[in-house]
Every structure is written in C-alpha cells, then in structure tokens.
Amino acid sequence: LNGEWIHDLLEEAENERVHLLTFVQMRNPSILFRLSRAASLASLAIFMSGLTLMYLLFSTTACRFVGYLEEEAVKTYTTFIQQIDQGILSQWKDMKFPRFA
C-alpha cells in the first residue's frame, strides 16, 4: 500500500463526519432516531466487517464498490442542488447551515 493513502482515507472519514454532524444539527432528529442508534451501529459493524472481508479477498472489487458509492453520492448531491435551484426543495433554499459545514 502507498504510505500516503492513509491521508486520503482520513480526509474522507472527516468529510463523512461533517455530513453526519450537519444533518443532525439541521434536522434535530426525533427520539426515534436516537433510539435506533444501536441498530445503526450494529448495521455499520456488519457492513464494515463485510467490506473488510471483501477487501482482503477481492481488493479490486472492494475499491470499485467504494468508487460506485462515491459516484452515487455525487449524483445525489447534484440532484439536490438542481432541485434547490429549481425551487422543488424550496425549504432548503434559505436554510441556515452550521458554521462547520
């Protein structure tokens, strides 16, 4: 592995953390969301175990899978921005975002 690769992974992890913190601050999730945290953490543990196993056995496929997920995220964000500009998501147009976002 390339020694510089860890910096890319850390940067991506920080990016995902900011997405989650932004969502939590903007939406102020209900108690149901907070109660389902254990289920979310369990799902994350299962997914990470599976992804780690896939990476150990089929590293090329695992990298392609992660790339696919990132590509879908870009498509989703692009659609959101277009819908905000078109007025479809008008409630987001004047929304105040947290400073760290």
Side-chain angles (χ1 to χ4, degrees):
L1 287 177
N2 182 348
E4 297 297 314
W5 191 53
I6 188 69
H7 298 292
D8 293 334
L9 294 176
L10 289 171
E11 185 177 312
E12 183 61 27
E14 176 66 14
N15 183 34
E16 296 303 327
R17 185 186 73 83
V18 170
H19 288 170
L20 178 62
L21 288 174
T22 302
F23 167 76
V24 169
Q25 279 200 348
M26 287 175 54
R27 300 306 297 169
N28 195 10
S30 68
I31 190 72
L32 182 61
F33 176 82
R34 293 181 183 141
L35 290 176
S36 67
R37 187 170 184 216
S40 298
L41 291 175
S43 298
L44 180 62
I46 292 168
F47 179 78
M48 287 306 299
S49 298
L51 188 61
T52 300
L53 183 63
M54 185 194 320
Y55 185 77
L56 291 173
L57 298 176
F58 311 102
S59 60
T60 303
T61 303
C63 289
R64 286 182 183 166
F65 177 68
V66 170
Y68 169 77
L69 292 178
E70 291 296 326
E71 187 176 324
E72 288 301 311
V74 168
K75 288 179 187 176
T76 301
Y77 296 144
T78 302
T79 301
F80 283 157
I81 291 169
Q82 288 172 347
Q83 290 179 349
I84 290 169
D85 290 343
Q86 294 170 358
I88 297 171
L89 296 175
S90 58
Q91 70 272 21
W92 285 40
K93 190 153 189 92
D94 298 322
M95 189 176 284
K96 301 288 184 213
F97 294 97
R99 293 194 83 183
F100 62 82

